[in-house]
């Protein structure tokens, strides 16, 4: 199953992902028309000044999602196969209980409709809008095993280069 994975060392804090997310969830799905619609993003780029980093934060669709467990109306459900946590706006009562237990603090609120909002992984797209918009590839969409394998291979290459240089 594909996941959105974050590589914070690549994030430059440009917020392209936030804009793409908001536009994707607007009625028009067009940047210029969306400006008048005031759409809301479902991910947040947090700046961490202590480390001079920006980190994209989004729903991790937790395996044992606390937001699903506490939702009093069943507006949040988790797909048994994909693991994606879905939100049904029609039965959400805007109690924000889900937001209060979210480990990552990424459940927002639509103040006009008085409902919670969260990442839905852009179900109408092959690749989520935030991932497509990221110019530095700080966000990637792929199988965890593939991404881990690629990172492992890159680390192994660096180690091998160090060994080769020191053995000369």
């Amino acid at each position: 199953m594909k996941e959105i994975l974050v590589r914070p060392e690549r994030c430059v804090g440009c917020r392209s992902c936030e804009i793409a997310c908001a536009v994707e969830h607007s009625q028009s799905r067009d940047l210029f028309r969306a400006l008048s619609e005031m759409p809301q993003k479902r991910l947040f780029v947090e700046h961490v000044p202590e480390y001079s980093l920006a980190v994209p934060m989004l729903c991790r669709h937790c395996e044992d999602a606390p937001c699903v467990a506490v939702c009093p109306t069943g507006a949040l459900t988790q797909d048994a196969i994909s693991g994606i946590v879905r939100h049904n706006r029609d039965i959400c009562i805007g109690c924000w209980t889900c937001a209060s237990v979210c480990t990552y603090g990424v459940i927002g609120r639509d103040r006009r409709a008085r409902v919670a909002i969260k990442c839905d992984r852009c179900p109408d797209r092959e690749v989520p809008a935030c991932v497509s918009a990221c110019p530095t590839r700080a966000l990637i969409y792929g199988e965890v095993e593939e991404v881990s394998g690629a990172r492992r291979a890159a680390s192994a290459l660096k180690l091998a280069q160090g060994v080769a240089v020191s053995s000369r």
Side-chain angles (χ1 to χ4, degrees):
M1 176 178 62
K2 289 188 174 184
E3 302 282 345
I4 299 173
L5 300 168
V6 178
R7 297 189 289 185
E9 72 279 3
R10 288 182 167 234
C11 183
V12 295
C14 70
R15 298 187 185 268
S16 294
C17 55
E18 290 181 338
I19 294 167
C21 177
V23 170
E24 179 64 22
H25 291 91
S26 70
Q27 287 181 338
S28 64
R29 292 190 177 177
D30 175 81
L31 176 61
F32 298 107
R33 286 192 218 137
L35 292 173
S36 64
E37 297 172 30
M38 296 176 53
Q40 293 184 280
K41 62 188 178 183
R42 274 103 171 120
L43 83 151
F44 309 86
V45 175
E46 291 294 324
H47 290 272
V48 185
E50 297 87 346
Y51 298 103
S52 299
L53 283 175
V55 181
M57 300 294 295
L58 65 155
C59 180
R60 306 305 312 149
H61 301 273
C62 304
E63 191 170 314
D64 188 17
C67 58
V68 173
V70 300
C71 182
T73 64
L76 288 169
T77 57
Q78 189 162 32
D79 184 272
I81 297 169
S82 70
I84 293 175
V85 175
R86 302 263 186 234
H87 177 252
N88 182 338
R89 295 174 63 97
D90 296 333
I91 60 175
C92 179
I93 59 173
C95 67
W96 320 123
T97 305
C98 56
S100 70
V101 300
C102 177
T103 305
Y104 297 96
V106 293
I107 297 179
R109 64 180 0 180
D110 181 336
R111 292 182 189 275
R112 291 171 296 203
R114 295 200 40 81
V115 296
I117 57 172
K118 62 171 292 308
C119 172
D120 59 4
R121 288 218 187 125
C122 300
D124 299 334
R125 297 174 55 106
E126 192 172 315
V127 175
C130 59
V131 175
S132 294
C134 184
T136 62
R137 295 195 30 86
L139 294 173
I140 50 178
Y141 189 57
E143 299 287 339
V144 173
E145 293 79 15
E146 289 174 17
V147 174
S148 294
R151 198 165 246 192
R152 214 173 23 254
S155 294
L157 177 61
K158 285 180 187 176
L159 285 170
Q161 288 171 335
V163 169
V165 169
S166 68
S167 65
R168 289 186 188 166

